[in-house]
Amino acid sequence: MDFRLGEKELALKEGIRKFAEAELPPDLVRNTVIDGEFRDFEFEISMSRKLAQRGWLVMSWPEKYGGRSASLLEQTIYEMEIAYWGIPGAWMGISGIQWVGPCLMMFGTEEQREKYLPLIASGQKDGVWCTGYSEPNAGSDFANIRTRALRDGDDYIINGQKVWTSVAHRARWCWLAVRTNPNAAKKHHGISIFIVDMKSPGVTVNPILNYYGRHHFNEVFFDNVRVPASNLVGEENKGWYYLMQSLAFERRSIAPTTYGNLKRILEELARYAGQTEYEGQLLSKNPVVRAKLADLAIDLEVLKMFAFQLAWRISQGQIPVYESSRNKIMGDDLMRQGAIIGADILGIYSQVDPDSKWAKLNGAIQGAYLGFPGQAIAAGTAEIEKSIIAQFRLGLPKSY
Amino acid sequence: MDFSFTEEQDMLRMSAKDFLAKECPKARVREMAKDERGYDPQVWHCMAELGWMGLVLPEEYGGTGASFMDLVILMEEMGRNILPGPFFSTVALCALPLLEHGSSEQKTKFLPQIAKGEAMWTFGLAESSGKHKASEVKLRAVLKGTNYVLQGHKLFVTDAHVADYILVAGRTGEGERPEDGITLFIVDARGPNVKMEAIPTIGGDRQFKVSFDRAVVSKDSILGKIGNGWHIADFILQRAAVLKCAEMSGACQAVLDMTSSYAKERIQFDRPIGSFQAIQHKLADMLIDVEAVQYLLYQAAWGVSVGLPSLWQISAAKAKANEAYQRICIEAIAAHGAIGYTMDHDIGLYYRRVKAAQFAAGDTDLHREVIAAELGL
């Protein structure tokens, strides 16, 4: 065993710190959890371009698609640091960098790779993706999707509805899961993935505001949307397999980003406790505050090790079975813990609007508090993740 | 970064697993809990022959010079089997500080005895508060001629009844800080004026009050320097915290394995209870706890192994193990139902040992404080 970071990784951390100090406005609101991406689209995309220029945006991709074949360990460090500094624009609409790109490299045609990957890698507006998975009747029961794609000559015609589609209102492309065979023996076997141009006639995007009035996700309607057959990803009706891979990619990056986010929150809370007096005593001397922050720090250390362990396993060429689910549960749990402990420490100020001048710590705690319940549902609820661990790691019988 | 064990380490684990499965079945564990000595001398002898007591000791002292990580692997397997006996007391609490801080005479005299399994040791630190803190060391040691005279007592001293020597933290002076003026003495456990009284515990392990009533210790029997013993005590607590954590990690894994097997076999409502999400999710939570303990343990142990021990990583591991071991046992009993609450079932053996493990080498409060300090609080 060896848990040392190499010179490369340490240099990368240092590089990102300098980048953040130079490029981010000092008063940037760091309540990134509630905002997700794309509150200020122009600014975010400008940051994406700068990250691309540094060779960071898609660092783990091969050179021919605009990356520099960085190791997964470097990628993990990068994600931790990006989240720690709250650098926006790192994901190109969440989907593009994390799973669309990697999945196209695994399952796409060379033509698809050459067309779409450079757009993502260079940080352009036309490289922003959304992902169409959930539907009104397909949440955790994802294989129940009904959006239909019917072959028509050289095209497919798509009809149906997606929901909770993050950043669809900014995306140029949709990574869309549809049903191509409604008569398959198992519903998992009739699913395919298509690349859909969001500018196609028949695509309608309606905003769904989250409970804090922020516009992050949408419902998307497909009304006789014509898509060329060359936009099918991999083989028809094999989509479920690609989807599982894409979800594994998505879940992998949750631990590093949550780690970075919370590490910053923990440090800010420790600083705040060291500067705030109550009844003649600094909060940092209060045994309850000390114990709560220490517990958060311990679990954060667990999350860090989980993130590294998963990256290491993938880098050994192994296919992780349950680790992404483990990390997702741990990350979500910790975000909740951090938000609640943070709110406890801020006390009555934890209710202040994160954008208000009254907000402590730039509203980061309110951002986490408002954001964690949503983050915990995206990409698989804790219940789904735990069932995956039980069945695929512990070998317990299927429960559904 | 590398999360894998070496081939030799895998072999060490396998051979420990095989040996303990054969020599330390649960029937033996139960028997030893009632036994006067609390361990099986035959097994102890075999362990010495396998080189376990001397695993991390250099060859010149009869050891095999293996790494600290190797010892962690071995002790994970001991914890998995709940091996009874004074291995932790002798090796973790005493052999390591003797090797690190002993004079060459002390090392030459004592370490080969330990490696051969001929001598047992233990460490007396806590007093009536039970806390492993310098401020709680009140036992007096007064110089009379060429000897020190010890007056006071130590509580919760493990395996003192079979120990040949006890490492005793005594106060030889006062200083600005409570850490100043503490000295570690090597005391003949069977010497005059050393008395023992058993403290019965729920774990069935052996802990004692050891009283020193004008016990005489020669000046040569000081480990390290006079008045400078706390940093050795600290060294012991750090190494022992990692090794106790290793035992707890093995125990956690055992409890998870046991519960997951049971969930596959036990039929209710015409199906295995492991097909119910209420049980599945409990087990998933247990698995996450198990792995949390493992990776924090390996991180801390690796630091010690390569000579870069991190106080804060050690404390994170022990604090996490304290919390997780307890929770895993409680959840496991719940998943088993009434059978888990019986004397015949093995789960209880683990649950009953939680408290002893939690308070060994620093309780949760102590380790949290280390982390709070690291956070700058």
Side-chain angles (χ1 to χ4, degrees), chain A residues 11 15 21 29 34 48 84-85 88 105 118 127 144 164 284 294 300 310 312-313 344 358:
Chain A
E21 283 170 1
V29 176
I34 179 77
S48 303
Y84 177 88
W85 292 105
M105 284 180 238
N144 204 37
W164 325 127
S284 59
L300 207 48
L310 174 56
W312 174 80
R313 247 181 73 92
D344 286 349
W358 292 89

Side-chain angles (χ1 to χ4, degrees), chain A residues 259-277:
Chain A
Y259 173 78
N261 241 315
L262 267 173
K263 186 155 172 29
R264 182 58 175 269
I265 286 178
L266 177 66
E267 288 178 10
E268 299 282 343
L269 284 170
R271 201 185 343 266
Y272 178 79
Q275 292 165 350
T276 309
E277 271 195 29

Side-chain angles (χ1 to χ4, degrees), chain A residues 87 99 109 154 214 225 239 257 278 286 323 328 343 356 380 398:
Chain A
I87 299 172
W99 59 91
T109 61
D154 288 341
R214 297 282 165 85
V225 176
T257 47
Y278 176 60
N286 178 317
E323 284 95 334
K328 164 106 170 76
S356 148
K398 272 189 85 73

Side-chain angles (χ1 to χ4, degrees), chain A residues 5-27:
Chain A
L5 290 182
E7 274 175 31
K8 238 191 210 172
E9 288 84 18
L10 294 173
L12 177 63
K13 279 178 84 159
E14 182 58 14
I16 297 170
R17 184 183 67 78
K18 285 191 179 143
F19 176 85
E21 283 170 1
E23 303 290 347
L24 293 184
D27 59 342

Side-chain angles (χ1 to χ4, degrees), chain B residues 254-333:
Chain B
V255 173
L256 171 65
D257 291 348
M258 208 181 282
T259 311
S260 142
S261 305
Y262 184 73
K264 290 172 199 168
E265 290 155 14
R266 170 71 174 163
I267 306 290
Q268 287 286 274
F269 306 101
D270 305 321
R271 69 196 86 166
I273 61 167
S275 65
F276 299 122
Q277 292 189 345
I279 298 294
Q280 291 195 346
H281 294 183
K282 219 185 250 303
L283 279 156
D285 287 337
M286 286 166 67
L287 176 92
I288 292 173
D289 267 344
V290 166
E291 296 199 349
V293 172
Q294 281 172 354
Y295 292 124
L296 291 190
L297 164 66
Y298 298 152
Q299 174 176 245
W302 170 79
V304 175
S305 264
V306 297
L308 301 164
S310 155
L311 190 53
W312 121 265
Q313 289 174 353
I314 291 170
S315 283
K318 182 59 165 53
K320 186 72 198 176
N322 282 356
E323 175 204 359
Y325 183 24
Q326 176 165 286
R327 186 164 52 218
I328 287 169
C329 286
I330 293 170
E331 293 301 318
I333 295 167

Side-chain angles (χ1 to χ4, degrees), chain B residues 53-370:
Chain B
M53 280 68 147
L55 193 68
V56 292
L57 299 178
E59 280 174 34
E60 55 178 313
Y61 303 122
T64 49
S67 72
F68 187 80
M69 185 63 95
D70 298 334
L71 184 57
V72 162
I73 291 166
L74 179 62
M75 293 190 73
E76 271 193 300
E77 293 310 313
M78 291 179 175
R80 188 194 298 267
N81 274 271
I82 332 183
L83 173 73
F87 187 89
F88 178 83
S89 303
T90 302
V91 174
L93 295 177
C94 298
L96 296 181
L98 278 169
L99 177 64
E100 182 80 12
H101 297 283
S103 67
S104 60
E105 292 80 28
Q106 287 168 341
K107 289 196 269 195
T108 310
K109 179 176 174 195
F110 296 125
L111 292 178
Q113 296 174 355
I114 291 178
K116 281 185 218 150
E118 289 167 0
M120 295 173 190
W121 285 63
T122 190
F123 176 42
L125 176 59
E127 298 183 16
S128 45
S129 72
K131 295 280 182 185
H132 295 136
K133 296 203 68 157
S135 55
E136 300 300 306
V137 176
K138 294 181 179 140
L139 181 140
R140 304 291 317 183
V142 181
L143 186 61
K144 289 254 167 81
T146 56
N147 294 323
Y148 276 89
V149 178
L150 307 191
Q151 186 71 40
H153 66 264
K154 293 291 168 185
L155 292 189
F156 303 103
V157 184
T158 51
D159 307 305
H161 64 310
V162 293
D164 300 287
Y165 299 96
I166 309 179
L167 216 46
V168 178
R171 195 159 280 289
T172 44
E174 310 282 344
E176 271 177 38
R177 307 170 312 141
E179 289 82 1
D180 302 330
I182 291 173
T183 303
L184 291 194
F185 296 94
I186 298 169
V187 181
D188 180 351
R190 301 199 180 89
N193 304 330
V194 178
K195 286 208 179 59
M196 292 171 198
E197 180 190 348
I199 303 173
T201 64
I202 59 177
D205 57 337
R206 299 308 151 93
Q207 300 191 42
F208 294 85
K209 174 183 182 180
V210 184
S211 305
F212 305 86
D213 186 15
R214 281 164 291 156
V216 176
V217 187
S218 123
K219 247 166 76 174
D220 307 333
S221 297
I222 287 171
L223 182 62
K225 293 201 184 95
I226 295 165
N228 198 19
W230 182 255
H231 87 278
I232 304 178
D234 217 21
F235 170 93
I236 297 172
L237 288 176
Q238 289 173 31
R239 300 307 187 272
V242 180
L243 294 169
K244 184 51 74 176
C245 197
E247 288 184 354
M248 296 163 88
S249 165
C252 288
Q253 183 74 57
V255 173
L256 171 65
D257 291 348
M258 208 181 282
T259 311
S260 142
S261 305
Y262 184 73
K264 290 172 199 168
E265 290 155 14
R266 170 71 174 163
I267 306 290
Q268 287 286 274
F269 306 101
D270 305 321
R271 69 196 86 166
I273 61 167
S275 65
F276 299 122
Q277 292 189 345
I279 298 294
Q280 291 195 346
H281 294 183
K282 219 185 250 303
L283 279 156
D285 287 337
M286 286 166 67
L287 176 92
I288 292 173
D289 267 344
V290 166
E291 296 199 349
V293 172
Q294 281 172 354
Y295 292 124
L296 291 190
L297 164 66
Y298 298 152
Q299 174 176 245
W302 170 79
V304 175
S305 264
V306 297
L308 301 164
S310 155
L311 190 53
W312 121 265
Q313 289 174 353
I314 291 170
S315 283
K318 182 59 165 53
K320 186 72 198 176
N322 282 356
E323 175 204 359
Y325 183 24
Q326 176 165 286
R327 186 164 52 218
I328 287 169
C329 286
I330 293 170
E331 293 301 318
I333 295 167
H336 277 78
I339 191 77
Y341 188 60
T342 62
M343 193 72 189
D344 290 340
H345 201 282
D346 292 344
I347 291 271
L349 294 174
Y350 291 92
Y351 182 52
R352 287 175 54 175
R353 281 159 180 77
V354 165
K355 284 296 157 197
Q358 282 180 328
F359 289 93
D363 58 18
T364 308
D365 288 347
L366 183 143
H367 290 293
R368 271 199 196 118
E369 267 307 312
V370 169

Side-chain angles (χ1 to χ4, degrees), chain A residues 191-213:
Chain A
I191 292 172
S192 301
I193 296 185
F194 282 93
I195 297 166
V196 179
D197 186 341
M198 292 295 281
K199 289 185 178 166
S200 311
V203 175
T204 310
V205 177
N206 292 333
I208 302 175
L209 299 188
N210 72 17
Y211 55 34
Y212 200 59

